[in-house]
């Protein structure tokens, strides 16, 4: 670790004080953190360990605070100033450790009454983090090799109904879809190791179904088993999947924590499919929490080979601009690598391929459709084919409707899903 | 696990739709979760696995959405309806597993465009959770035994300056404060195992200092070593502390996740001091995230013997009413036990004892003061004495000023800190 390495955090700050004052409070809270001078707090100590305000970019102020509880200074003019504030932290304060990084760059800052809004917009991490965290072992290249698909997105679906299928019913569904040619399937995030369908029975039924289909088609479906659970279960569940011939494990990252993800990545032998349910809690307020730009870096350090990003025109609140930003963030190299595949899902079907390709200009993603593939009027195989055709058209610059004219699976998909 | 056990989640919901419609969407998203009917979703499956809306309590509506991205229905009257919605989930959907519980009761709900606000206000958990999670091993009774203090709060401080002391300087500070009679000290959350003061050196310096002081005073200070780190470090760091004679470990719960906390609780031999930095991110928006009432239940299941709750009149945004709610929530038994000690801190001094006692009507808490004890004009011993006196007065119903008249340490504290 170099002595001069620093972490730079960029915050969106909203405050009834001046931005300079708010920035100084943020930097001070995260180095000395008490309300009255204490012995031992020397200038030398502050120089060695203090956080430093590196820059402030002022934005339009607001007339009212976004979050409650800010205490304006006396003589407050009623304005809540907003700006992007860059603060640097000496790495030697905490070392290249995600858990301790978070206590420093987030910590108590969200609770400061000098602020009416705080959002961690970006994190610039020094090279020591790359030495400490190996990151994804598979990424796009390793995942493609396992599914044997190279020139288009990996196309797949989510088990539906998400809850309630017995292991036997699940096995039958998987075999049918694997025979239909799908590349990928995943458990729903609601369904990991429930009493009504224990993971062990699910793994057996699914891996046998996948092998039977592979014998027939010559290709092996990748199935992401949801192994979310307590720390001790992660190893047990992972080993069960790998021992049974499974080729992917899925976790709800916010359920096991980034520490749980990094732990899994220490011994995982198959790609880790990172689901981000609960993420909305950290990001939906525009003046609180974190941006996905910052969060996805931590997920990649901790080992997410695949990472969910929502989809264009999804059922969720997120704007398409925000989804595009997330996809592009995942596609931006970190430390020259740390490759993750963005996973695009929610209300997806063939009709969302063109816009997704325009956003990414690459096919290194997973494109998942639940109903948008399985409920195709001619069945799942046609649903899968419709998405393959849509991506073919997108990459070749052919309009969707034009391609549909000569391809019935695509035309039927447009008839069913294109009216919304 | 009984077949009929259910989890009940209470949400604060804000929506441009009717509350009934929003509640149905919430229940549906967390059981089937796709936008178009799929094969296999039978009535029997819905009955066995569906979440059920148990009740709706309407609150005052708003004229504007709190969070962005809600898509109002056509003909929307401009009102955003608010209410408390109780939804029950069959436990057999996910089992008594906190990680999978969170995917069910939080999951993708925060991102739904039918909602302009969602906050998990409370969780009622069935008995199977008690069978699955042993909870705190020490709580108030076990902690009191270790510090030998029974009839008043455990009084202590936080290492200041929080960053920068060498292990030798830290040892000297700890010895001085232990000799001054303090019950408890803790590392700052910013300071776990940094390169400039490795945990191993800190543990050695601090435990030796504590033993030297104990030889002189006959009482052993409890020091909470911040062992926050990756999963593998938790065991290593814990064992280092215990092997060296340390009697408490501290973790930043949001840094290691509830799964990390539950993992630590599997093998911990000393009380776990739970710090909640980063919590503001999950709770400061009144229409997003979680209430501490819900969160503290999960922390207690996972094993937090001590749990930070802010303090009255703190430096943070949180209202005193909210702090009191948190303290009382921690003091409410779960499954007949699961005892945690609320840790009151931030801008605390002798003057905050009376109001804190009125809120709790109990002395089963830790009351921590940084500057409010260490910067006492007559030194830390007088600072500690001032807090002990204040609690004595509070419990006996003597006004602070009256008690101060005959107790100089208290009088001097009021002179210094009582002017704010």
């Amino acid at each position: 670790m170099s002595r001069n390495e620093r972490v730079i955090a960029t915050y969106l700050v909203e405050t009834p004080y001046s931005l300079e004052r708010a920035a100084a409070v943020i930097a001070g809270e995260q180095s000395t953190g008490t309300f009255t001078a204490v012995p031992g707090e020397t200038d030398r100590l502050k120089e060695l360990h203090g956080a430093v305000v590196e820059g402030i970019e002022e934005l339009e102020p607001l007339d009212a605070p976004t979050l409650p509880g800010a205490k304006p200074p006396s003589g407050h003019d009623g304005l809540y100033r907003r700006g992007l504030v860059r603060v640097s932290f000496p790495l030697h304060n905490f070392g290249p450790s995600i858990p301790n990084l978070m206590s420093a760059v987030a910590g108590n800052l969200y609770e400061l009454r000098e602020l009416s809004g705080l959002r961690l917009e970006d994190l610039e991490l020094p090279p020591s983090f790359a030495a400490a965290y190996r990151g994804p072992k598979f990424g796009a290249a390793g995942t493609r090799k396992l599914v044997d698909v190279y020139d288009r997105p990996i196309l797949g679906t989510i088990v539906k109904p998400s809850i309630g299928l017995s292991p036997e019913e699940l096995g039958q569904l998987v075999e049918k879809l694997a025979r239909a040619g799908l590349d990928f399937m995943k458990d729903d995030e609601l369904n990991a190791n429930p009493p009504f369908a224990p993971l062990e029975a699910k793994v057996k039924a699914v891996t046998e179904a996948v092998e039977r289909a592979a014998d027939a088609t010559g290709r092996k479906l990748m199935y992401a088993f949801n192994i979310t659970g307590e720390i001790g279960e992660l190893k047990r569940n992972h080993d069960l999947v790998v021992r049974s011939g499974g080729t992917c494990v899925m976790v709800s990252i916010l359920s096991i924590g980034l520490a749980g993800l990094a732990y899994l990545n220490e011994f995982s032998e198959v790609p880790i499919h990172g689901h981000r349910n609960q993420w909305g809690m950290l990001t939906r307020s525009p003046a609180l929490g974190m941006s996905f730009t910052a969060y996805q870096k931590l997920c990649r350090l901790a080992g997410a080979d695949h990472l969910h990003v929502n989809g264009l025109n999804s059922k969720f609140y997120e704007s398409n601009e925000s989804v595009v930003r997330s996809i592009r963030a995942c596609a931006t190299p970190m430390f020259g690598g740390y490759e993750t595949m963005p996973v695009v899902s929610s209300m997806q079907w063939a009709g969302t391929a063109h816009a997704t390709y325009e956003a990414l200009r690459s096919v290194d993603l997973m494109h998942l459709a639940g109903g948008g593939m399985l409920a195709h009027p001619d069945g799942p195989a046609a649903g899968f084919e419709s998405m393959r055709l849509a991506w073919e058209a997108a990459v070749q610059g052919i309009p969707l409707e034009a391609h549909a004219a000569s391809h019935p699976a695509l035309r039927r998909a447009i008839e069913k899903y294109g009216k919304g």
Side-chain angles (χ1 to χ4, degrees), chain A residues 247-259:
Chain A
T247 53
C248 188
V249 292
M250 160 178 159
V251 286
S252 295
I253 298 176
L254 286 116
S255 283
I256 65 169
L258 289 163

Side-chain angles (χ1 to χ4, degrees), chain A residues 50-70:
Chain A
V52 171
V53 178
E54 302 283 352
I56 297 176
E57 179 192 332
E58 195 146 2
L59 303 171
E60 280 295 298
L62 300 175
D63 291 333
T66 304
L67 299 177

Side-chain angles (χ1 to χ4, degrees), chain A residues 334-346:
Chain A
M334 273 180 79
F335 306 121
Y338 288 76
E339 198 176 64
T340 195
M341 287 192 105
V343 182
V344 172
S345 69
S346 175

Side-chain angles (χ1 to χ4, degrees), chain A residues 185-213:
Chain A
M185 270 185 87
K186 64 177 273 292
D187 275 329
D188 195 272
E189 70 275 13
L190 295 175
N191 194 333
N193 185 16
F196 75 86
L199 185 66
E200 192 163 350
K202 271 169 50 181
V203 167
K204 183 171 190 305
V206 168
T207 51
E208 288 177 3
V210 166
E211 293 297 343
R212 279 195 302 273

Side-chain angles (χ1 to χ4, degrees), chain A residues 348-350 370-377 383 386 412-420:
Chain A
Q348 299 299 295
W349 64 287
M373 188 183 285
L374 305 188
H376 188 285
S386 72
R412 297 272 284 164
I414 295 172
E415 283 166 16
K416 164 121 187 173
Y417 305 114
K419 310 301 173 195

Side-chain angles (χ1 to χ4, degrees), chain A residues 93-367:
Chain A
N93 278 12
F94 42 81
S97 156
I98 295 173
N100 290 302
L101 168 76
M102 291 309 293
S103 296
V105 301
N108 290 330
L109 292 178
Y110 296 98
E111 302 196 41
L112 290 177
R113 66 181 174 193
E114 285 86 354
L115 309 178
S116 55
L118 185 79
R119 188 171 166 89
L120 181 59
E121 292 287 355
D122 204 358
L123 277 173
E124 294 164 56
L125 301 171
S128 287
F129 277 91
Y133 293 91
R134 64 182 296 169
K137 296 173 193 150
F138 293 85
T143 301
R144 287 192 177 290
K145 205 166 157 191
L146 285 167
V147 290
D148 196 22
V149 168
Y150 296 94
D151 52 355
R152 58 168 174 79
I154 291 173
L155 301 174
T157 193
I158 304 116
V159 173
K160 302 285 172 193
S162 47
I163 291 188
L165 294 183
S166 69
E168 295 66 36
E169 290 166 326
L170 177 63
Q172 288 159 15
L173 176 67
V174 170
E175 183 167 351
K176 184 173 121 188
L177 297 177
R179 284 177 183 270
L182 270 66
D183 306 324
F184 179 87
M185 270 185 87
K186 64 177 273 292
D187 275 329
D188 195 272
E189 70 275 13
L190 295 175
N191 194 333
N193 185 16
F196 75 86
L199 185 66
E200 192 163 350
K202 271 169 50 181
V203 167
K204 183 171 190 305
V206 168
T207 51
E208 288 177 3
V210 166
E211 293 297 343
R212 279 195 302 273
D215 288 344
T217 66
R219 285 181 61 232
K220 187 165 170 177
L221 175 101
M222 174 178 276
Y223 189 98
F225 290 98
N226 184 354
I227 64 164
T228 301
E230 296 293 354
I231 296 298
E233 295 173 291
L234 293 178
K235 174 103 174 84
R236 212 154 56 233
N237 292 349
H238 166 274
D239 290 354
L240 169 68
V241 169
V242 169
R243 208 169 48 236
S244 307
T247 53
C248 188
V249 292
M250 160 178 159
V251 286
S252 295
I253 298 176
L254 286 116
S255 283
I256 65 169
L258 289 163
L261 177 58
Y263 168 71
L264 173 59
N265 197 41
E266 282 176 20
F267 55 78
S268 57
E269 298 173 29
V270 293
I272 300 173
H273 188 81
H275 199 281
R276 69 171 201 186
N277 69 79
Q278 303 160 60
W279 166 243
M281 189 163 19
L282 298 181
T283 208
R284 186 160 174 184
S285 167
L288 187 63
M290 292 175 75
S291 76
F292 193 69
T293 302
Y295 187 65
Q296 57 91 25
K297 290 184 181 177
L298 304 175
C299 295
R300 287 161 70 183
L301 275 176
D305 293 284
H306 313 153
L307 194 49
H308 277 244
V309 294
N310 276 348
L312 295 171
N313 309 319
S314 81
K315 68 182 168 186
F316 296 119
Y317 84 97
E318 197 179 353
S319 69
N320 283 349
E321 294 68 37
S322 171
V323 173
V324 167
R325 240 186 343 264
S326 296
I327 293 175
R328 289 185 179 155
C330 290
T332 305
M334 273 180 79
F335 306 121
Y338 288 76
E339 198 176 64
T340 195
M341 287 192 105
V343 182
V344 172
S345 69
S346 175
M347 282 186 73
Q348 299 299 295
W349 64 287
T352 52
H354 277 72
T356 306
Y357 181 66
E358 270 166 46
L360 190 60
R361 306 307 300 179
S362 155
V363 293
D364 275 346
L365 78 157
M366 307 182 92
H367 199 187

